[in-house]
Amino acid sequence: MGGMMGLRLFNQGRVRPATGNVRKRAGIAVRAGALAATMLGGAVAIAQTVPAPAPAPSAPRLPSAAQPLTQPQDAEYGRLIDQHLVDKRFTTELVDHMPLSDTVPSPLKFFGRIPGTPGELTYAADIHRYYRELARTSKRVKYMTLGTTEEGREQVVLAIADEATLASLDEHKAKLAALGDPRRTDARQAAEIIKTAKPIYWVTSGIHSPETGGPEMLIELAYRLAVEDTPFIRDIREKMITFITPVVEVDGREKMVDTYYYGKKTGKPKPPLVYWGKYVAHDNNRDGLGQYLKLTQNITNGLLDWHPTVLHDLHEAQSYLYTSTGTGPYNPSLDPIQSNEWWLLAETEVLEMTKRGVPGVWTYGFYDGWVPNYLFWIAHTHNSFGRFYEVQSYGPDIQNDLKLASTVTSKEWYRPNPPLPSVNWGPRNNTNIQQSALLIAMNRVANDGAQYLENYWTKSRNAIETGQRAGEINAWVVPAQQHAPKNAADMVNMLRKQGVEVSTATQAFTAGGVSVAPGDYVIRADQPYRTLLDMYLSVQTYPTSNPRPYDDTGWTMQYMHNVELKTIKDTAVFSQQLAPVTADVSPRGGVSGEGSTIVFNHNGDNALVSLRFKLKGQRMLAAEAPFEINGKRYAAGSFILPSANRATVAAIAEALGVQGEAVSGVPNVATHMLTAPRIGYVHSWLRTQDEGWWRAALDHYGIPYDYFADTTLKAQNLRGKYDVLIYPTVANNAKDQFVGVPMNGSDKIPYKKSALTPNLGALDSAEDIRGGIGGAGLDALKRFVAEGGTLIGDGSTVEMLAGFGVAPNVSVGKPSELYNKGAIMRGMIADQSSPIVYGYDGKQLPIYFSQSPVLNVSRGGGRMGYFDPNGPGVKLAQNTTPNAAPAPVSPWPGAEAAAASAPKNEVDPSSPFGSREPASRSSGAEPTQLPRVVMNFPAKANDILLSGMLSGGEALTGKPLVVDVPHGRGHMVLFALRPFWRWQTQGSYMLGFNAILNWDHLSAGAPAGAGTD
């Protein structure tokens, strides 16, 4: 090899000149990418001249994926590839050319440019239009629709294979379905099916709208796979079926292209990508668990329908190409085959790209492999093979002299061929590097298809056999008659829609010590998707010594939903009489009994909030204390409907799955009116990532609201228009939220629908989105509350209200010893008489919390400063009061551990003066209204964590989780927990709904000094 002077590929019997990129290494002149992979394709015909003392008996065959280009090539397309590639190292022989077709239009012919052209992006609608044209002109291509988005746009999948395979696509679909259920396909049958079945490799892209390169590259890949006739590509086309969904977040793609061209064509600052889909931005790739978004539902339905072997999602957040394996810890519910598949294919890509001299292709040192909420994890929960790329950004503008940090360019064991300290980067670099790696992976799966199909069947078999095994969980039971039966049914339906098989008990039985009643939902563990159940329903433990988590560490579904779930470890459950559930389940709703007043017990079912707004004209009361009537006990907060129209109420209750009881008259209990409020919903132009989950909940349960930006607050008569303002978290910190989009320069930044930006302005619009809430906006909020309104917020909104003094006597701490990432914690209900916790049974509730805000509540008033023994350095300095926290000892003999306890009204540990400061240390008047702590963390750190990761829990002991802050005639309801986190925390939704329902009577049951309405 060291003496080789040249290398040429034959083209139709003629020597093909090595034009274009030529690079020289140690005296070797080689056409870019010609020296390539072993084990990746058919034999290569080459001519070579190797100086040697004597000719070898036979010339050695070079391991290569380079193929004789035996079909006409599109010279102009090839010229443009070379022209747009600003660094010639980022190419391979797989992508440095483009075949010519007389019948199938290339991207150049269709669009007038090629993918990778600097300064150009393509709308999803145009990509789909091109795909339809490919399907019309090629028998190797089939165009299918997965569904539509929230804004009505089409989400598509393109199937590419040889003509015979596409003609028999349904037969291959049936074979993959058979492999996916080993209960009906034994090992011998599976082996026969594998002989003729073909794997499906499904490539998805564009779920994150600012990551623009994947959709562009997939325009070209689709054409290449349909037209090119090299043995390497034929292997992919003939031995495998390729699915391509070029844009998952179709709504966001159109907005992204709008904003880019606005900046390019006007020369003015372009608007930020405020909205991607209707509800959320980056979190659209965190919906795998909850599955509320249409894009997630469509992909899941496609996966359940087609049983793809591989689901490969394309992203842009690393240099230059990261292929996924992750640092760990890997989710313990994963079949070991799955993580081995990650490494098998990733190492193939790293090796083959490195052999081609492409820098910066690596694996391992990014992401973890823990939480199953990503789009590609839908494959893992269904025994397929999920994976992703992270590639250097497409642009589409050229970045000359792009510099990278040393932490990115260092040579590590997992990154032996690292990215370069400086490089010229352009969109064609992006197109080439990810298309090349993807082709290598696809070719490997095509040629090793039998192995990957066998893996698929084996993973499904392992899931079933694990569920059948004695000592393992053999079934999960969700009691139908539990405290919030509609919430329980909703969780069951969420599992069913992801392919889980659910049954109901037809008679009572006991198995494994668990009593099961008729009608209870029974989920047998001996089913193919047991892995999904194990991942979702297990308790997560994430030791803090692991690599830093990439996303949430705890997500136990029944905790998040506050639903009772039991596990059975007894194979006798398989012999019980069960009826399969074939449609969505719901408790029986309606109205029973006789009388003119209808009463609905407040049991925490989220559907109750829908009842209030669907019966907006109906007079409703809320009971302020528990009561009994006709021998039945009703909880505080129960709905009382005097003189109700029974037929109307019953019809709505039946549809909602909630049960009312008609009684002779209004119960003898203290009540207040449930006045349906006028709701204003405040957003920021800075970021709408998290607030969208609040909107999703409001929309789902039919709660009407007006939607407007925080920049408009100062100009509105808020109290004259609204009773409740919802202002969810916005930014990483209060300062950014206060400032908003910076007021830089003199040019306005519009966000609206126009001829230049036809896809913007669907939810809200403005002539100038610069600026944030600002001081005037905060003053407007404070005035709104003082005049009798209720303001509800979480996250950074709480930090801002506390930090800028809008929420009196509330402050936010940032304890340095606290280390937590998205976990489920124990919340203690400190004030059971507060309307905010109506409907919750008991004194504890699983809640979601992630690092901040950590709230403090004080009595207010001025005070002098003094030495704080808990200030900075406390963990490093000598502890002079070690006996303040005695070492824990266990009781003997055998006494049960004390239940988690709520904190008492403790002394401020930072005060040297005890519970009251002396007169010489205080000033100003005592506050007349004090915050009301409704829920807080337990008093003991060891009682806090329920699922996930937590270190430094002592910083959270006793800290408020829900605070009702009275101010003037109104209230601020501040959440440190996240009541509406993604589509997962349905168990805490009612905290927010109660604040809305009881907005004008939140002081009900308040102790003296906590303010009055």
Side-chain angles (χ1 to χ4, degrees), residues 330-358:
Y330 292 163
N331 190 298
S333 300
L334 276 175
D335 189 304
I337 294 172
Q338 292 179 318
S339 53
N340 282 308
E341 286 177 322
W342 287 347
W343 280 93
L344 181 64
L345 206 49
E347 291 284 22
T348 298
E349 292 156 324
V350 173
L351 174 65
E352 299 302 335
M353 292 294 282
T354 301
K355 287 165 66 173
R356 287 162 168 78
V358 180

PDB file of all heavy atoms in Angstrom, residues 330-358:
ATOM      1  N   TYR A 330     -27.308   2.408  31.392  1.00  0.00           N
ATOM      2  CA  TYR A 330     -28.364   1.983  30.493  1.00  0.00           C
ATOM      3  C   TYR A 330     -29.595   1.574  31.306  1.00  0.00           C
ATOM      4  O   TYR A 330     -29.486   1.053  32.413  1.00  0.00           O
ATOM      5  CB  TYR A 330     -27.908   0.814  29.629  1.00  0.00           C
ATOM      6  CG  TYR A 330     -26.832   1.148  28.622  1.00  0.00           C
ATOM      7  CD1 TYR A 330     -26.077   0.149  28.024  1.00  0.00           C
ATOM      8  CD2 TYR A 330     -26.576   2.469  28.252  1.00  0.00           C
ATOM      9  CE1 TYR A 330     -25.093   0.448  27.088  1.00  0.00           C
ATOM     10  CE2 TYR A 330     -25.600   2.784  27.318  1.00  0.00           C
ATOM     11  CZ  TYR A 330     -24.852   1.769  26.738  1.00  0.00           C
ATOM     12  OH  TYR A 330     -23.885   2.079  25.819  1.00  0.00           O
ATOM     13  N   ASN A 331     -30.730   1.824  30.728  1.00  0.00           N
ATOM     14  CA  ASN A 331     -31.973   1.455  31.397  1.00  0.00           C
ATOM     15  C   ASN A 331     -31.951  -0.040  31.716  1.00  0.00           C
ATOM     16  O   ASN A 331     -31.748  -0.860  30.826  1.00  0.00           O
ATOM     17  CB  ASN A 331     -33.166   1.789  30.498  1.00  0.00           C
ATOM     18  CG  ASN A 331     -34.481   1.656  31.211  1.00  0.00           C
ATOM     19  OD1 ASN A 331     -34.851   0.587  31.665  1.00  0.00           O
ATOM     20  ND2 ASN A 331     -35.215   2.747  31.318  1.00  0.00           N
ATOM     21  N   PRO A 332     -32.135  -0.408  32.982  1.00  0.00           N
ATOM     22  CA  PRO A 332     -32.016  -1.825  33.355  1.00  0.00           C
ATOM     23  C   PRO A 332     -33.075  -2.726  32.747  1.00  0.00           C
ATOM     24  O   PRO A 332     -32.912  -3.947  32.746  1.00  0.00           O
ATOM     25  CB  PRO A 332     -32.115  -1.801  34.885  1.00  0.00           C
ATOM     26  CG  PRO A 332     -32.825  -0.528  35.201  1.00  0.00           C
ATOM     27  CD  PRO A 332     -32.405   0.448  34.142  1.00  0.00           C
ATOM     28  N   SER A 333     -34.148  -2.139  32.226  1.00  0.00           N
ATOM     29  CA  SER A 333     -35.184  -2.951  31.603  1.00  0.00           C
ATOM     30  C   SER A 333     -34.845  -3.340  30.171  1.00  0.00           C
ATOM     31  O   SER A 333     -35.528  -4.181  29.578  1.00  0.00           O
ATOM     32  CB  SER A 333     -36.525  -2.202  31.616  1.00  0.00           C
ATOM     33  OG  SER A 333     -36.930  -1.920  32.941  1.00  0.00           O
ATOM     34  N   LEU A 334     -33.809  -2.714  29.608  1.00  0.00           N
ATOM     35  CA  LEU A 334     -33.410  -3.049  28.242  1.00  0.00           C
ATOM     36  C   LEU A 334     -32.965  -4.497  28.151  1.00  0.00           C
ATOM     37  O   LEU A 334     -32.204  -4.986  28.991  1.00  0.00           O
ATOM     38  CB  LEU A 334     -32.250  -2.162  27.792  1.00  0.00           C
ATOM     39  CG  LEU A 334     -32.534  -0.790  27.228  1.00  0.00           C
ATOM     40  CD1 LEU A 334     -31.218  -0.061  26.973  1.00  0.00           C
ATOM     41  CD2 LEU A 334     -33.333  -0.877  25.932  1.00  0.00           C
ATOM     42  N   ASP A 335     -33.404  -5.175  27.105  1.00  0.00           N
ATOM     43  CA  ASP A 335     -32.821  -6.476  26.794  1.00  0.00           C
ATOM     44  C   ASP A 335     -31.356  -6.253  26.448  1.00  0.00           C
ATOM     45  O   ASP A 335     -31.031  -5.339  25.691  1.00  0.00           O
ATOM     46  CB  ASP A 335     -33.565  -7.093  25.611  1.00  0.00           C
ATOM     47  CG  ASP A 335     -33.177  -8.538  25.363  1.00  0.00           C
ATOM     48  OD1 ASP A 335     -31.972  -8.794  25.173  1.00  0.00           O
ATOM     49  OD2 ASP A 335     -34.061  -9.400  25.333  1.00  0.00           O
ATOM     50  N   PRO A 336     -30.431  -7.039  26.996  1.00  0.00           N
ATOM     51  CA  PRO A 336     -29.013  -6.840  26.681  1.00  0.00           C
ATOM     52  C   PRO A 336     -28.712  -6.867  25.191  1.00  0.00           C
ATOM     53  O   PRO A 336     -27.739  -6.247  24.741  1.00  0.00           O
ATOM     54  CB  PRO A 336     -28.328  -8.000  27.408  1.00  0.00           C
ATOM     55  CG  PRO A 336     -29.260  -8.362  28.514  1.00  0.00           C
ATOM     56  CD  PRO A 336     -30.641  -8.110  27.980  1.00  0.00           C
ATOM     57  N   ILE A 337     -29.540  -7.545  24.427  1.00  0.00           N
ATOM     58  CA  ILE A 337     -29.325  -7.568  22.971  1.00  0.00           C
ATOM     59  C   ILE A 337     -29.402  -6.153  22.412  1.00  0.00           C
ATOM     60  O   ILE A 337     -28.652  -5.786  21.499  1.00  0.00           O
ATOM     61  CB  ILE A 337     -30.368  -8.480  22.280  1.00  0.00           C
ATOM     62  CG1 ILE A 337     -30.158  -9.936  22.701  1.00  0.00           C
ATOM     63  CG2 ILE A 337     -30.303  -8.347  20.759  1.00  0.00           C
ATOM     64  CD1 ILE A 337     -31.248 -10.861  22.211  1.00  0.00           C
ATOM     65  N   GLN A 338     -30.297  -5.336  22.974  1.00  0.00           N
ATOM     66  CA  GLN A 338     -30.496  -4.003  22.421  1.00  0.00           C
ATOM     67  C   GLN A 338     -29.260  -3.130  22.581  1.00  0.00           C
ATOM     68  O   GLN A 338     -28.835  -2.455  21.643  1.00  0.00           O
ATOM     69  CB  GLN A 338     -31.710  -3.354  23.092  1.00  0.00           C
ATOM     70  CG  GLN A 338     -33.020  -4.036  22.719  1.00  0.00           C
ATOM     71  CD  GLN A 338     -34.229  -3.418  23.383  1.00  0.00           C
ATOM     72  OE1 GLN A 338     -34.200  -3.080  24.556  1.00  0.00           O
ATOM     73  NE2 GLN A 338     -35.309  -3.291  22.634  1.00  0.00           N
ATOM     74  N   SER A 339     -28.672  -3.121  23.768  1.00  0.00           N
ATOM     75  CA  SER A 339     -27.480  -2.291  23.941  1.00  0.00           C
ATOM     76  C   SER A 339     -26.305  -2.845  23.147  1.00  0.00           C
ATOM     77  O   SER A 339     -25.457  -2.084  22.669  1.00  0.00           O
ATOM     78  CB  SER A 339     -27.124  -2.181  25.424  1.00  0.00           C
ATOM     79  OG  SER A 339     -27.011  -3.448  26.033  1.00  0.00           O
ATOM     80  N   ASN A 340     -26.248  -4.164  22.959  1.00  0.00           N
ATOM     81  CA  ASN A 340     -25.196  -4.719  22.108  1.00  0.00           C
ATOM     82  C   ASN A 340     -25.387  -4.329  20.653  1.00  0.00           C
ATOM     83  O   ASN A 340     -24.419  -4.115  19.917  1.00  0.00           O
ATOM     84  CB  ASN A 340     -25.149  -6.245  22.249  1.00  0.00           C
ATOM     85  CG  ASN A 340     -24.463  -6.685  23.527  1.00  0.00           C
ATOM     86  OD1 ASN A 340     -23.356  -6.258  23.823  1.00  0.00           O
ATOM     87  ND2 ASN A 340     -25.118  -7.526  24.312  1.00  0.00           N
ATOM     88  N   GLU A 341     -26.635  -4.210  20.220  1.00  0.00           N
ATOM     89  CA  GLU A 341     -26.905  -3.729  18.862  1.00  0.00           C
ATOM     90  C   GLU A 341     -26.421  -2.297  18.697  1.00  0.00           C
ATOM     91  O   GLU A 341     -25.893  -1.934  17.636  1.00  0.00           O
ATOM     92  CB  GLU A 341     -28.405  -3.831  18.554  1.00  0.00           C
ATOM     93  CG  GLU A 341     -28.882  -5.243  18.299  1.00  0.00           C
ATOM     94  CD  GLU A 341     -30.381  -5.312  18.066  1.00  0.00           C
ATOM     95  OE1 GLU A 341     -31.132  -4.574  18.745  1.00  0.00           O
ATOM     96  OE2 GLU A 341     -30.812  -6.101  17.217  1.00  0.00           O
ATOM     97  N   TRP A 342     -26.620  -1.478  19.726  1.00  0.00           N
ATOM     98  CA  TRP A 342     -26.105  -0.107  19.651  1.00  0.00           C
ATOM     99  C   TRP A 342     -24.626  -0.115  19.289  1.00  0.00           C
ATOM    100  O   TRP A 342     -24.186   0.567  18.362  1.00  0.00           O
ATOM    101  CB  TRP A 342     -26.266   0.590  21.003  1.00  0.00           C
ATOM    102  CG  TRP A 342     -27.647   0.984  21.397  1.00  0.00           C
ATOM    103  CD1 TRP A 342     -28.760   1.018  20.611  1.00  0.00           C
ATOM    104  CD2 TRP A 342     -28.070   1.414  22.690  1.00  0.00           C
ATOM    105  NE1 TRP A 342     -29.836   1.446  21.321  1.00  0.00           N
ATOM    106  CE2 TRP A 342     -29.452   1.694  22.606  1.00  0.00           C
ATOM    107  CE3 TRP A 342     -27.422   1.588  23.904  1.00  0.00           C
ATOM    108  CZ2 TRP A 342     -30.188   2.141  23.698  1.00  0.00           C
ATOM    109  CZ3 TRP A 342     -28.156   2.046  25.007  1.00  0.00           C
ATOM    110  CH2 TRP A 342     -29.527   2.309  24.900  1.00  0.00           C
ATOM    111  N   TRP A 343     -23.872  -0.890  20.061  1.00  0.00           N
ATOM    112  CA  TRP A 343     -22.421  -0.882  19.890  1.00  0.00           C
ATOM    113  C   TRP A 343     -21.987  -1.557  18.586  1.00  0.00           C
ATOM    114  O   TRP A 343     -21.044  -1.102  17.934  1.00  0.00           O
ATOM    115  CB  TRP A 343     -21.751  -1.569  21.088  1.00  0.00           C
ATOM    116  CG  TRP A 343     -21.658  -0.645  22.257  1.00  0.00           C
ATOM    117  CD1 TRP A 343     -22.545  -0.516  23.280  1.00  0.00           C
ATOM    118  CD2 TRP A 343     -20.638   0.317  22.497  1.00  0.00           C
ATOM    119  NE1 TRP A 343     -22.145   0.465  24.153  1.00  0.00           N
ATOM    120  CE2 TRP A 343     -20.970   0.992  23.705  1.00  0.00           C
ATOM    121  CE3 TRP A 343     -19.474   0.683  21.832  1.00  0.00           C
ATOM    122  CZ2 TRP A 343     -20.178   2.004  24.243  1.00  0.00           C
ATOM    123  CZ3 TRP A 343     -18.676   1.675  22.376  1.00  0.00           C
ATOM    124  CH2 TRP A 343     -19.032   2.325  23.557  1.00  0.00           C
ATOM    125  N   LEU A 344     -22.666  -2.608  18.211  1.00  0.00           N
ATOM    126  CA  LEU A 344     -22.285  -3.325  17.002  1.00  0.00           C
ATOM    127  C   LEU A 344     -22.343  -2.416  15.780  1.00  0.00           C
ATOM    128  O   LEU A 344     -21.409  -2.359  14.979  1.00  0.00           O
ATOM    129  CB  LEU A 344     -23.218  -4.527  16.803  1.00  0.00           C
ATOM    130  CG  LEU A 344     -22.950  -5.409  15.586  1.00  0.00           C
ATOM    131  CD1 LEU A 344     -21.595  -6.090  15.691  1.00  0.00           C
ATOM    132  CD2 LEU A 344     -24.067  -6.453  15.444  1.00  0.00           C
ATOM    133  N   LEU A 345     -23.435  -1.678  15.654  1.00  0.00           N
ATOM    134  CA  LEU A 345     -23.593  -0.838  14.467  1.00  0.00           C
ATOM    135  C   LEU A 345     -22.794   0.465  14.609  1.00  0.00           C
ATOM    136  O   LEU A 345     -22.226   0.953  13.622  1.00  0.00           O
ATOM    137  CB  LEU A 345     -25.074  -0.540  14.238  1.00  0.00           C
ATOM    138  CG  LEU A 345     -25.485  -0.237  12.796  1.00  0.00           C
ATOM    139  CD1 LEU A 345     -24.950  -1.257  11.815  1.00  0.00           C
ATOM    140  CD2 LEU A 345     -27.000  -0.147  12.681  1.00  0.00           C
ATOM    141  N   ALA A 346     -22.731   1.021  15.806  1.00  0.00           N
ATOM    142  CA  ALA A 346     -21.971   2.261  15.993  1.00  0.00           C
ATOM    143  C   ALA A 346     -20.490   2.045  15.706  1.00  0.00           C
ATOM    144  O   ALA A 346     -19.840   2.871  15.043  1.00  0.00           O
ATOM    145  CB  ALA A 346     -22.164   2.788  17.414  1.00  0.00           C
ATOM    146  N   GLU A 347     -19.927   0.968  16.195  1.00  0.00           N
ATOM    147  CA  GLU A 347     -18.511   0.705  15.940  1.00  0.00           C
ATOM    148  C   GLU A 347     -18.251   0.468  14.456  1.00  0.00           C
ATOM    149  O   GLU A 347     -17.185   0.818  13.946  1.00  0.00           O
ATOM    150  CB  GLU A 347     -18.051  -0.494  16.766  1.00  0.00           C
ATOM    151  CG  GLU A 347     -18.003  -0.242  18.264  1.00  0.00           C
ATOM    152  CD  GLU A 347     -16.804   0.599  18.681  1.00  0.00           C
ATOM    153  OE1 GLU A 347     -16.233   1.329  17.840  1.00  0.00           O
ATOM    154  OE2 GLU A 347     -16.430   0.537  19.859  1.00  0.00           O
ATOM    155  N   THR A 348     -19.213  -0.108  13.774  1.00  0.00           N
ATOM    156  CA  THR A 348     -19.080  -0.272  12.326  1.00  0.00           C
ATOM    157  C   THR A 348     -18.971   1.083  11.643  1.00  0.00           C
ATOM    158  O   THR A 348     -18.090   1.307  10.800  1.00  0.00           O
ATOM    159  CB  THR A 348     -20.284  -1.051  11.766  1.00  0.00           C
ATOM    160  OG1 THR A 348     -20.309  -2.357  12.346  1.00  0.00           O
ATOM    161  CG2 THR A 348     -20.212  -1.174  10.254  1.00  0.00           C
ATOM    162  N   GLU A 349     -19.845   1.998  12.012  1.00  0.00           N
ATOM    163  CA  GLU A 349     -19.823   3.329  11.395  1.00  0.00           C
ATOM    164  C   GLU A 349     -18.529   4.075  11.720  1.00  0.00           C
ATOM    165  O   GLU A 349     -17.918   4.700  10.837  1.00  0.00           O
ATOM    166  CB  GLU A 349     -21.030   4.135  11.878  1.00  0.00           C
ATOM    167  CG  GLU A 349     -22.357   3.613  11.368  1.00  0.00           C
ATOM    168  CD  GLU A 349     -23.519   4.012  12.252  1.00  0.00           C
ATOM    169  OE1 GLU A 349     -23.353   4.061  13.485  1.00  0.00           O
ATOM    170  OE2 GLU A 349     -24.606   4.262  11.707  1.00  0.00           O
ATOM    171  N   VAL A 350     -18.126   4.036  12.985  1.00  0.00           N
ATOM    172  CA  VAL A 350     -16.892   4.722  13.369  1.00  0.00           C
ATOM    173  C   VAL A 350     -15.712   4.148  12.599  1.00  0.00           C
ATOM    174  O   VAL A 350     -14.874   4.891  12.052  1.00  0.00           O
ATOM    175  CB  VAL A 350     -16.672   4.601  14.890  1.00  0.00           C
ATOM    176  CG1 VAL A 350     -15.302   5.159  15.269  1.00  0.00           C
ATOM    177  CG2 VAL A 350     -17.768   5.336  15.656  1.00  0.00           C
ATOM    178  N   LEU A 351     -15.627   2.830  12.548  1.00  0.00           N
ATOM    179  CA  LEU A 351     -14.507   2.192  11.846  1.00  0.00           C
ATOM    180  C   LEU A 351     -14.493   2.553  10.368  1.00  0.00           C
ATOM    181  O   LEU A 351     -13.459   2.962   9.818  1.00  0.00           O
ATOM    182  CB  LEU A 351     -14.609   0.673  12.017  1.00  0.00           C
ATOM    183  CG  LEU A 351     -13.599  -0.161  11.225  1.00  0.00           C
ATOM    184  CD1 LEU A 351     -12.188   0.106  11.699  1.00  0.00           C
ATOM    185  CD2 LEU A 351     -13.943  -1.646  11.332  1.00  0.00           C
ATOM    186  N   GLU A 352     -15.615   2.417   9.712  1.00  0.00           N
ATOM    187  CA  GLU A 352     -15.652   2.612   8.256  1.00  0.00           C
ATOM    188  C   GLU A 352     -15.441   4.069   7.871  1.00  0.00           C
ATOM    189  O   GLU A 352     -14.775   4.368   6.884  1.00  0.00           O
ATOM    190  CB  GLU A 352     -16.970   2.077   7.687  1.00  0.00           C
ATOM    191  CG  GLU A 352     -17.200   0.593   7.904  1.00  0.00           C
ATOM    192  CD  GLU A 352     -16.090  -0.256   7.308  1.00  0.00           C
ATOM    193  OE1 GLU A 352     -15.417   0.198   6.354  1.00  0.00           O
ATOM    194  OE2 GLU A 352     -15.882  -1.378   7.804  1.00  0.00           O
ATOM    195  N   MET A 353     -15.986   4.985   8.646  1.00  0.00           N
ATOM    196  CA  MET A 353     -15.765   6.397   8.346  1.00  0.00           C
ATOM    197  C   MET A 353     -14.317   6.790   8.633  1.00  0.00           C
ATOM    198  O   MET A 353     -13.719   7.595   7.914  1.00  0.00           O
ATOM    199  CB  MET A 353     -16.730   7.257   9.153  1.00  0.00           C
ATOM    200  CG  MET A 353     -18.196   7.103   8.746  1.00  0.00           C
ATOM    201  SD  MET A 353     -18.557   7.710   7.082  1.00  0.00           S
ATOM    202  CE  MET A 353     -18.599   9.477   7.398  1.00  0.00           C
ATOM    203  N   THR A 354     -13.741   6.224   9.679  1.00  0.00           N
ATOM    204  CA  THR A 354     -12.346   6.511   9.986  1.00  0.00           C
ATOM    205  C   THR A 354     -11.431   5.973   8.890  1.00  0.00           C
ATOM    206  O   THR A 354     -10.453   6.631   8.494  1.00  0.00           O
ATOM    207  CB  THR A 354     -11.974   5.900  11.348  1.00  0.00           C
ATOM    208  OG1 THR A 354     -12.834   6.453  12.356  1.00  0.00           O
ATOM    209  CG2 THR A 354     -10.526   6.199  11.712  1.00  0.00           C
ATOM    210  N   LYS A 355     -11.721   4.800   8.387  1.00  0.00           N
ATOM    211  CA  LYS A 355     -10.917   4.234   7.307  1.00  0.00           C
ATOM    212  C   LYS A 355     -10.969   5.097   6.054  1.00  0.00           C
ATOM    213  O   LYS A 355     -10.035   5.098   5.249  1.00  0.00           O
ATOM    214  CB  LYS A 355     -11.395   2.818   6.991  1.00  0.00           C
ATOM    215  CG  LYS A 355     -11.007   1.800   8.054  1.00  0.00           C
ATOM    216  CD  LYS A 355     -11.769   0.507   7.926  1.00  0.00           C
ATOM    217  CE  LYS A 355     -11.424  -0.243   6.663  1.00  0.00           C
ATOM    218  NZ  LYS A 355     -12.076  -1.593   6.658  1.00  0.00           N
ATOM    219  N   ARG A 356     -12.023   5.852   5.910  1.00  0.00           N
ATOM    220  CA  ARG A 356     -12.146   6.739   4.767  1.00  0.00           C
ATOM    221  C   ARG A 356     -11.500   8.097   5.026  1.00  0.00           C
ATOM    222  O   ARG A 356     -11.583   9.000   4.202  1.00  0.00           O
ATOM    223  CB  ARG A 356     -13.626   6.912   4.423  1.00  0.00           C
ATOM    224  CG  ARG A 356     -14.235   5.677   3.778  1.00  0.00           C
ATOM    225  CD  ARG A 356     -15.756   5.719   3.852  1.00  0.00           C
ATOM    226  NE  ARG A 356     -16.343   4.704   2.993  1.00  0.00           N
ATOM    227  CZ  ARG A 356     -16.427   3.407   3.282  1.00  0.00           C
ATOM    228  NH1 ARG A 356     -15.950   2.963   4.433  1.00  0.00           N
ATOM    229  NH2 ARG A 356     -16.983   2.561   2.437  1.00  0.00           N
ATOM    230  N   GLY A 357     -10.910   8.264   6.200  1.00  0.00           N
ATOM    231  CA  GLY A 357     -10.212   9.505   6.504  1.00  0.00           C
ATOM    232  C   GLY A 357     -11.096  10.644   6.918  1.00  0.00           C
ATOM    233  O   GLY A 357     -10.666  11.803   6.938  1.00  0.00           O
ATOM    234  N   VAL A 358     -12.348  10.349   7.278  1.00  0.00           N
ATOM    235  CA  VAL A 358     -13.268  11.403   7.710  1.00  0.00           C
ATOM    236  C   VAL A 358     -13.052  11.636   9.203  1.00  0.00           C
ATOM    237  O   VAL A 358     -13.206  10.713  10.001  1.00  0.00           O
ATOM    238  CB  VAL A 358     -14.726  11.022   7.419  1.00  0.00           C
ATOM    239  CG1 VAL A 358     -15.672  12.128   7.878  1.00  0.00           C
ATOM    240  CG2 VAL A 358     -14.926  10.728   5.933  1.00  0.00           C
TER     241      VAL A 358
END
